[in-house]
Amino acid sequence: MASVTSLTATVHQRLAAALTAALPETADADPLLRRSDRADFQANGILALAKKAKANPRDLATQVVGGIVTGDVIKDIEVSGPGFLNITITDKAITENLASRATDPAGRLGVPFTDQPGTTVVDYAQPNVAKEMHVGHLRSAVIGDAVVQMLEFVGETVVRRHHIGDWGTQFGMLIQYLDEHPHELDHEDAQVTGEEAMSNLDRLYKAARAHFDSDEEFKTRARRRVVDLQAGDPKTLAAWQKFVDESKIYFFSVFEKLDMEIRDPDIVGESGYNDMLDETCRLLEESGVAVRSEGALCVFFDDIKGPDGNLVPLIVKKSDGGYGYAATDLSAIRDRVFNLKASKIVYVVDARQSLHFKMVFETARRAGWLNGDTKAEQLAFGTVLGKDGKPFKTREGETVRLVDLLDEAVDRASAVVREKAQDLSEEEIAERGAQVGIGAVKYADLSTSANRDYKFDLDQMVSLNGDTSVYLQYAYARIQSILRKAGDVRPVAHPELELAPAERQLGLHADRFAETVAEAAEEYAPHKLTAYLYQLASLYTTFYAECPVLKADTPAQVENRLFLCDITARTLHQGMALLGIRTPERL
Ligand code: ARG
């Protein structure tokens, strides 16, 4: 037993039972229970149910009230308006419920595991080899990581897949150039940093590109290299591997800066499906899902047309025999369904690729690879905008390097930490600055629903007031400082005590943690968790202003308030951890 029945669930069950007793013919009657300002909860479902049963709503409501036992959990239940129910919870039940969360032996704060866990493949954090990472890659990594953590926390089996761009015709050019300038990727010492790796790759890319654009013979040699690469020529593959390895040094350095665990075996890039491409095409062609059109192997869709009104196909194999992005993604689906046994596949990818995924998923459905047992969906995210509301660019109009952005966030955050710091050493300021700065970037990304665009505004992100991670981190640190000051006095729940209004609000909200995590995980919606945590911190702020903790009236009240502080802190810590954000003990 690790899970704790929340007060919402208990009240819901009781209302549903009373409703069924009053209306035996209505199965699964939903009382539509909501948190409310007037009482603790309000049930809004009676009106509709009465209408359906042709009963008087107020009479039905009164009958339901008559069927509810009050005292232990429900303190008060009354009919209001045309047939709403207002419900108040006992203080005792609030404290007791939190106490069972606090003592959950598994340390999960009473969050249950899902009833029917499956296997979810999450495709996220997928940068491209030999290319600089940008804000789009940031979003995929940050959102994907939160989704992975939340799903794992509720007991889902998660397979992480980093579908990096490590294949394609551009490698012909790079490999050919490296072949002609063989020492360009040599390292003098083994400890090359991510920055160095990226600047090596960048230099090489630019040089290769310049050759490719100006030298027709080089172009021909580069094209031949593509053929060699696809044919698996060992020397060509070895050169290709150098690019991949160099890029991984860079990727890992960025992920480390992002304070994010990315594991090498989970990196299965486009090249990982090479062996499957032929068969994928054969299966599609044999089943008639794909057809030959102007030499290419294509899948057509009635509803997908270009601006000229002609159908736009998904090209699985080009007329020159080459495979593109679609063939790889279709093969990846086969791998994920048949080898990894996925029940769900989630793609955390830019909304600008939605048409691609729509076509890929529909193709896989027609081929029978996706069906009722396995669902694929794109968790599409919007564009990161600059302060001016336009897609985020440097002043010169270039794409912003992710690393520069993260460094700046950390600098700004360090300034904030330094200003507020009371007893922190320089080393601590640097460490906290990173935790606050990276947290700020992640939180800003996660706190708007993924499909919306958001403005990358560092001033706002590191602001101490408002819906920011810093605000939550300070709330957490403030609680830790109170707990330290309490010395030998420990948090103890006292269900016998009456609660002040701010204590009740805080307690009722803390009790909803499990439901929030379940919902956010189920819907791949980290923003529901951030909204919950922000509200928790805000309620804590009110509580802190209204209810003295260490100077409370009685020793029992001191202990009980410390208990409220402690459960709030643990909830903040756990919630933030699921989002990949640290909660420093001191700030
Ligand atoms: N590498 C791609 C990009 O940078 C994202 C890959 C998304 N995943 C996939 N299975 N196609 O845009």
Side-chain angles (χ1 to χ4, degrees):
M1 181 320 298
S3 76
V4 177
T5 309
S6 71
L7 292 168
T8 316
T10 304
V11 175
H12 181 101
Q13 279 157 16
R14 296 198 182 177
L15 282 182
L19 262 170
T20 313
L23 285 178
E25 60 281 8
T26 330
D28 288 335
D30 188 349
L32 294 182
L33 196 63
R34 302 281 175 271
R35 287 278 284 125
S36 148
D37 292 338
R38 265 183 259 166
D40 294 332
F41 293 101
Q42 190 169 57
N44 301 335
I46 310 262
L47 273 88
L49 288 165
K51 199 172 169 201
K52 231 165 122 200
K54 300 204 166 46
N56 175 309
R58 266 196 84 93
D59 289 351
L60 178 59
T62 312
Q63 219 180 325
V64 170
V65 169
I68 298 278
V69 186
T70 53
D72 58 343
V73 175
I74 297 176
K75 181 175 169 207
D76 214 8
I77 174 161
E78 54 177 41
V79 182
S80 101
F84 301 113
L85 294 177
N86 287 340
I87 300 137
T88 312
I89 305 297
T90 62
D91 291 354
K92 177 166 165 283
I94 295 177
T95 308
E96 272 175 351
N97 243 48
L98 289 182
S100 5
R101 293 198 184 285
T103 51
D104 175 354
R108 299 172 51 81
L109 299 166
V111 178
F113 291 105
T114 52
D115 298 336
Q116 287 167 327
T119 299
T120 301
V121 173
V122 184
D123 182 316
Y124 73 108
Q126 326 98 329
N128 301 316
V129 164
K131 295 220 183 95
E132 192 79 63
M133 288 173 76
H134 55 71
V135 281
H137 298 123
L138 169 75
R139 291 214 76 184
S140 177
V142 170
I143 298 169
D145 185 56
V147 168
V148 166
Q149 306 292 334
M150 294 192 305
L151 287 174
E152 283 180 346
F153 191 66
V154 298
E156 181 78 359
T157 301
V158 178
V159 182
R160 312 167 187 205
R161 278 293 173 265
H162 310 295
H163 197 87
I164 60 169
D166 63 354
W167 203 249
T169 43
Q170 75 276 19
F171 286 100
M173 170 185 101
L174 291 170
I175 294 167
Q176 187 57 33
Y177 185 84
L178 187 63
D179 195 45
E180 294 172 20
H181 305 80
H183 298 297
E184 287 283 317
L185 280 184
D186 291 355
H187 303 143
E188 272 151 45
D189 71 84
Q191 291 303 20
V192 55
T193 67
E195 288 272 316
E196 286 160 2
M198 190 59 237
S199 84
N200 286 339
L201 288 165
D202 195 44
R203 183 168 30 79
L204 222 134
Y205 192 93
K206 286 190 176 130
R209 182 88 238 173
H211 269 62
F212 192 83
D213 290 340
S214 63
D215 180 345
E216 280 305 315
E217 278 168 30
F218 178 78
K219 205 179 225 169
T220 313
R221 293 198 294 278
R223 294 228 165 101
R224 225 177 291 133
R225 274 294 178 182
V226 179
V227 180
D228 292 347
L229 182 65
Q230 280 167 353
D233 166 55
K235 210 175 135 228
T236 307
L237 274 179
W240 167 82
Q241 190 65 49
K242 277 196 176 180
F243 284 99
V244 175
D245 292 344
E246 189 84 358
S247 294
K248 279 191 184 173
I249 296 176
Y250 163 70
F251 297 156
F252 281 119
S253 76
V254 178
F255 290 130
E256 192 176 306
K257 207 173 268 229
L258 270 173
D259 191 14
M260 191 179 284
E261 185 207 32
I262 300 286
R263 304 177 300 213
D264 199 37
D266 298 330
I267 301 183
V268 182
E270 295 176 21
S271 68
Y273 306 95
N274 281 344
D275 291 350
M276 300 176 74
L277 301 174
D278 277 334
E279 196 178 27
T280 298
C281 289
R282 187 173 55 74
L283 292 171
L284 290 173
E285 196 170 4
E286 279 174 8
S287 60
V289 173
V291 293
R292 293 273 165 193
S293 168
E294 292 169 35
L297 189 62
C298 301
V299 184
F300 288 93
F301 310 87
D302 291 343
D303 56 340
I304 303 178
K305 295 192 180 116
D308 56 0
N310 290 334
L311 292 179
V312 178
L314 181 72
I315 301 179
V316 189
K317 190 173 184 176
K318 291 182 249 178
S319 52
D320 67 2
Y323 297 107
Y325 199 40
T328 327
D329 263 326
L330 286 164
S331 302
I333 288 184
R334 290 176 53 221
D335 180 53
R336 291 164 187 187
V337 173
F338 301 112
N339 299 330
L340 300 175
K341 307 274 183 253
S343 37
K344 284 183 192 139
I345 316 177
V346 189
Y347 293 78
V348 190
V349 185
D350 196 313
R352 285 169 284 195
Q353 295 188 28
S354 293
L355 185 60
H356 166 77
F357 283 106
K358 189 177 166 203
M359 296 199 280
V360 165
F361 296 161
E362 177 56 25
T363 302
R365 257 177 239 124
R366 290 184 192 170
W369 303 331
L370 290 176
N371 52 38
D373 296 331
T374 312
K375 290 194 181 61
E377 91 178 68
Q378 184 191 1
L379 173 48
F381 53 79
T383 306
V384 181
L385 308 173
K387 269 192 189 178
D388 56 1
K390 302 210 182 94
F392 203 59
K393 291 270 151 68
T394 62
R395 234 169 284 152
E396 294 74 36
E398 283 176 37
T399 347
V400 183
R401 292 180 352 131
L402 182 52
V403 197
D404 294 341
L405 214 72
L406 297 179
D407 287 344
E408 197 182 335
V410 171
D411 284 350
R412 297 275 191 105
S414 302
V416 172
V417 172
R418 182 183 306 277
E419 197 171 307
K420 290 214 55 165
Q422 284 164 358
D423 48 1
L424 296 183
S425 67
E426 273 308 304
E427 200 183 317
E428 285 170 321
I429 290 178
E431 190 198 61
R432 306 297 198 283
Q435 295 173 336
V436 170
I438 295 302
V441 171
K442 289 184 178 176
Y443 190 90
D445 196 315
L446 295 170
S447 56
T448 26
S449 84
N451 59 8
R452 299 200 6 219
D453 298 346
Y454 81 93
K455 275 190 194 157
F456 197 94
D457 179 351
L458 279 175
D459 294 323
Q460 190 273 327
M461 283 181 197
V462 299
S463 155
L464 294 164
N465 298 310
D467 189 4
T468 62
S469 61
V470 200
Y471 175 69
L472 304 188
Q473 286 168 323
Y474 269 104
Y476 178 83
R478 198 183 319 133
I479 298 178
Q480 294 312 315
S481 137
I482 295 171
L483 292 170
R484 280 193 299 272
K485 273 194 208 126
D488 292 339
V489 188
R490 301 313 306 152
V492 182
H494 286 279
E496 75 283 2
L497 290 182
E498 231 177 79
L499 297 176
E503 293 178 299
R504 306 187 82 252
Q505 293 310 318
L506 179 64
L508 281 166
H509 191 68
D511 185 53
R512 294 185 54 204
F513 182 58
E515 279 147 6
T516 308
V517 172
E519 193 179 318
E522 161 97 30
E523 297 174 17
Y524 314 129
H527 71 280
K528 296 209 165 167
L529 185 52
T530 60
Y532 170 87
L533 295 171
Y534 176 52
Q535 172 96 34
L536 184 66
S538 306
L539 290 170
Y540 181 79
T541 306
T542 311
F543 157 82
Y544 185 72
E546 291 177 9
C547 306
V549 177
L550 298 177
K551 295 204 172 96
D553 293 340
T554 65
Q557 201 171 43
V558 173
E559 288 182 344
N560 198 54
R561 288 189 174 162
L562 281 172
F563 165 73
L564 282 171
C565 288
D566 186 46
I567 189 92
T568 302
R570 287 169 58 193
T571 308
L572 283 171
H573 172 80
Q574 180 63 69
M576 296 284 264
L578 293 178
L579 301 170
I581 303 174
R582 304 264 173 186
T583 38
E585 299 294 301
R586 280 171 213 267
L587 262 183

